[in-house]
Amino acid sequence: MDFKKIFIINGGQVFGHSGGRFNQTITNFSINFLGQLPGVSIRSTNINEVYDANKEVENFVWADLVIYHTPIWWFQVPNGFKKYIDEVFTAGHQKGIYHSDGRSSDNPNINYGTGGLLHGRHYLVTSSWNAPATAFTLPGEFFNEKSVDEGVLFGFHRMNAFVGMQPLPSFHFHDVEKNADIARDLKAYEKHLIQLFSIKNKPHEHLSHSIG
C-alpha cells in the first residue's frame, strides 16, 4: 500500500512497574523503518509527553495512515492513552475527526456511526501482552478462542470506524514479560510491515538489530 503521511502514536504509558520501554522500542522502529521509505513523511506523539489536543487533531487530519502502539493493561488500553483519545477526539468534533454520530432527527434509529470525517484514512494497531498467543487460540484457555481484535480491541476498532478510518491487519506481541525477545519480535513486526507496504528492498536491514 502507498502511504506517504504516517502519524505514529506511542501509547506505552509510564506507570507503576511499567517503564514503557517495549512500546518505545517498537515506536522507534516504526519511525526509523518507515521514515526511510521513498516520499514518506512521519509525525509522532508520545502520550507521556505534553501535547496540544488541537495539534493532535491536525495530525490525524494530515495523515493517510495512523499507527497506534499500545500495551494492554487489565484488558484495556492504558488510562493515559484513553485520556489522550478522549481529549483529542473530542477536540476533533466538527474539526476534521467527526461531525456527528451520523443519525438524523427524521429517523434516529439508523445510520449511527456514519458521521466520521476521516474517510480514506487507514490505521494499524499493535498491542503488547503478558498473555501468550495460545491464551487466545487453545480451547479452554482464558480468552475462549476469541482473537485480540474480536475481543479486547473490539471497541478500539469500532472507535476508529466511528470516525471513518479503515483497519490494516493488526499485529500483536505476546508473552513480552516472562519470555521477552525483542530481536525476535522486531523481526516479526518488520516482516508484517514489509508485507503491508509491499516493500521489495528493505531499507537498511541493520535497523532491526540496532534499536534496543
Side-chain angles (χ1 to χ4, degrees):
M1 295 187 179
D2 189 27
F3 299 109
K4 297 301 184 185
K5 296 182 291 184
I6 303 175
F7 179 37
I8 300 172
I9 302 170
N10 178 5
Q13 184 178 352
V14 177
F15 177 82
H17 69 277
S18 174
R21 291 183 298 275
F22 184 86
N23 278 276
Q24 184 62 64
T25 299
I26 302 303
T27 300
N28 289 345
F29 183 85
S30 293
I31 292 171
N32 283 282
F33 187 81
L34 296 174
Q36 294 184 69
L37 298 179
V40 170
S41 297
I42 301 286
R43 295 184 185 181
S44 64
T45 288
N46 184 331
I47 59 99
N48 297 284
E49 299 173 356
V50 176
Y51 56 84
D52 180 316
N54 289 313
K55 289 184 178 179
E56 297 303 298
V57 171
E58 293 176 8
N59 288 332
F60 274 90
V61 174
W62 167 83
D64 51 31
L65 173 63
V66 177
I67 299 179
Y68 301 102
H69 294 303
T70 182
I72 299 298
W73 293 358
W74 291 106
F75 316 110
Q76 302 174 64
V77 300
N79 62 82
F81 186 25
K82 180 60 165 64
K83 179 174 180 285
Y84 170 89
I85 292 168
D86 288 345
E87 292 178 347
V88 174
F89 280 37
T90 297
H93 180 220
Q94 298 187 349
K95 294 180 180 178
I97 290 185
Y98 76 103
H99 180 269
S100 67
D101 70 8
R103 297 180 296 164
S104 70
S105 57
D106 293 334
N107 190 348
N109 294 318
I110 61 171
N111 295 324
Y112 177 80
T114 60
L117 296 174
L118 293 177
H119 296 284
R121 280 80 162 183
H122 288 73
Y123 71 95
L124 163 66
V125 58
T126 78
S127 67
S128 51
W129 294 77
N130 173 51
T134 50
F136 300 86
T137 59
L138 292 180
E141 286 297 310
F142 187 77
F143 292 98
N144 299 318
E145 298 179 77
K146 289 277 189 182
S147 72
V148 174
D149 297 292
E150 294 172 312
V152 170
L153 285 186
F154 177 80
F156 189 88
H157 287 298
R158 288 294 83 201
M159 172 195 81
N160 284 280
F162 188 92
V163 299
M165 289 199 287
Q166 296 178 321
L168 297 181
S170 306
F171 190 87
H172 307 297
F173 301 94
H174 294 286
D175 212 359
V176 300
E177 290 193 22
K178 293 186 177 179
N179 292 297
D181 187 334
I182 191 64
R184 174 202 64 201
D185 290 339
L186 283 178
K187 186 175 181 179
Y189 178 51
E190 179 183 70
K191 182 178 179 181
H192 186 71
L193 292 178
I194 288 170
Q195 292 173 340
L196 286 182
F197 285 80
S198 301
I199 299 170
K200 294 181 180 179
N201 297 308
K202 291 190 291 183
H204 298 279
E205 290 188 43
H206 69 278
L207 272 176
S208 61
H209 305 293
S210 62
I211 302 172

